[in-house]
Amino acid sequence: MRPETKRRVAAFFAGIAIVSFATVIGTLAFLKFGMFGVIRNVAITDAAFIAIYLLWIKLHKGYEAMYKSGIEFEEEK
């Protein structure tokens, strides 16, 4: 695996861990659900995080290609 890919995978799993931990803390502190409610809230927020992260990658992947092509164009001048 390329270093850039490893970095993205590590960032993804770190983000999932942070989102899950924050969801558990928020659910237990403010909503006072039982274990099923905690699991349900973690699943919902993790699914939302994954969807937003995939959208972010899709948007920035195209931007990265445009940025690199602009650099190559400027180097040719």
Side-chain angles (χ1 to χ4, degrees), residues 1 3 6 11 16 20-21 23 30 33 41 46 51 58:
M1 213 186 275
K6 286 182 182 179
I16 285 285
S20 297
F21 181 72
T23 302
F30 299 111
F33 286 138
N41 285 346
D46 284 352
K58 184 177 180 180

Side-chain angles (χ1 to χ4, degrees), residues 4-17:
E4 181 180 324
T5 305
K6 286 182 182 179
R7 184 177 53 84
R8 285 186 179 177
V9 169
F12 173 76
F13 284 112
I16 285 285

Side-chain angles (χ1 to χ4, degrees), residues 31-46:
L31 301 178
K32 307 228 189 283
F33 286 138
M35 188 54 81
F36 178 72
V38 172
I39 293 171
R40 184 188 66 209
N41 285 346
V42 168
I44 290 169
T45 55
D46 284 352

Side-chain angles (χ1 to χ4, degrees), residues 1 18 20-22 27-28 34 37 41-42 48 61 65 67 71 76-77:
M1 213 186 275
I18 292 169
S20 297
F21 181 72
T27 300
L28 293 176
N41 285 346
V42 168
K61 191 173 186 180
Y67 178 74
I71 290 175
E76 292 176 0
K77 286 184 179 181

